[in-house]
Amino acid sequence: PIRHTGRRARPTWGRESVRMPAALAGLCAELDIHVVVGLLESAGDDVCNSTVIVGPAGLIAVYRKTHLPVLGVDRFARPGDALDVVETPVGVLGPLICYDLRFPEAPRVLALKGAEIIVHATNWPRPSADFPDFVTKAAARASGVFIISANRVGTERGTVFLGRSQIIPPSGRPLAEADDHSEMVITADLDLALAHRKKVVHIPGEFELDSFGDRRPELYDRL
């Protein structure tokens, strides 16, 4: 479970195009939980690879995958055009989907916008086995945020998915991780204050690190 902060949910991007199944919204209300669910969203004549954030009061926000590889349904999807965060009672969430996490700019932008937890829904297949070993941990460490990465297991149409869902703190050392073959529920208690400690003082005046304050945006013009 994620520690509640007492903040009210505040959506920061459009949600009008998604009709949530009543059963899902009802379950969130009954259990007083927040969920992040992946789905294919009908967007006019297009389709988007999306996730929705749903809470006890219903739909909070919709995120459309912004980075699309030539793979699976992404070959036919329309990319999203926003990386944004949403304040909820369980923390400030920054959603990403699968391939998005390959791009270090994506979690960094969300962190700069105040994300405490990056919620990452993914369909990583076996050839991506190094991603839970390196990419999720490096992203959490580099941007000083929690990352909750949920992957599927099993086989569909010959593709084997690698599982290994993770809950990773800003240190990069996983708090919990699923195995590579079972449907599992993993939990951890999150101290969200850690996501705000971008400056680390080991020895005052001698050994100080400020991963946000020491940035040099004027040198990053190629971005």
Side-chain angles (χ1 to χ4, degrees):
I2 301 174
R3 178 173 57 83
H4 284 244
T5 63
R7 284 178 290 223
R8 297 181 61 187
R10 180 170 61 86
T12 56
W13 60 85
R15 55 179 181 165
E16 61 280 351
S17 64
V18 174
R19 292 184 178 180
M20 285 307 304
L24 179 58
L27 187 65
C28 290
E30 177 185 349
L31 300 178
D32 189 28
I33 60 174
H34 289 72
V35 300
V36 180
V37 178
L39 48 77
L40 293 180
E41 175 195 355
S42 176
D45 294 330
D46 298 318
V47 64
C48 294
N49 187 345
S50 303
T51 56
V52 292
I53 300 174
V54 186
L59 180 64
I60 297 173
V62 180
Y63 167 71
R64 294 172 173 174
K65 187 176 181 181
T66 48
H67 303 83
L68 301 180
V70 181
L71 178 66
V73 73
D74 285 339
R75 293 173 295 167
F76 314 105
R78 187 181 83 197
D81 57 6
L83 291 168
D84 213 339
V85 300
V86 59
E87 293 185 14
T88 78
V90 297
V92 182
L93 308 183
L96 293 175
I97 299 174
C98 203
Y99 188 57
D100 287 331
L101 202 62
R102 277 182 178 256
F103 300 85
E105 299 89 347
R108 175 53 61 91
V109 164
L110 293 175
L112 288 170
K113 288 186 174 185
E116 296 168 329
I117 307 169
I118 290 177
V119 285
H120 176 242
T122 184
N123 279 340
W124 278 337
R126 291 285 184 184
S128 298
D130 57 333
F131 279 77
D133 288 327
F134 304 108
V135 177
T136 52
K137 298 171 184 177
R141 179 77 176 185
S143 291
V145 293
F146 289 88
I147 291 183
I148 299 178
S149 182
N151 191 35
R152 64 189 295 193
V153 293
T155 302
E156 181 180 359
R157 298 182 182 181
T159 298
V160 181
F161 296 92
L162 60 89
R164 296 188 61 190
S165 296
Q166 297 173 313
I167 302 173
I168 303 175
S171 69
R173 302 181 184 92
L175 297 174
E177 182 172 327
D179 64 31
D180 62 357
H181 60 276
S182 306
E183 291 188 3
M184 300 179 65
V185 175
I186 59 175
T187 63
D189 293 319
L190 308 188
D191 179 2
L192 298 184
L194 295 175
H196 296 275
R197 295 176 187 169
K198 307 302 186 187
K199 183 174 183 177
V200 179
V201 178
H202 296 286
I203 304 174
E206 295 185 23
F207 187 3
E208 300 184 8
L209 306 172
D210 188 345
S211 59
F212 276 27
D214 293 338
R215 294 173 65 250
R216 297 284 306 280
E218 70 276 11
L219 303 181
Y220 312 151
D221 59 302
R222 290 295 297 271
L223 296 177

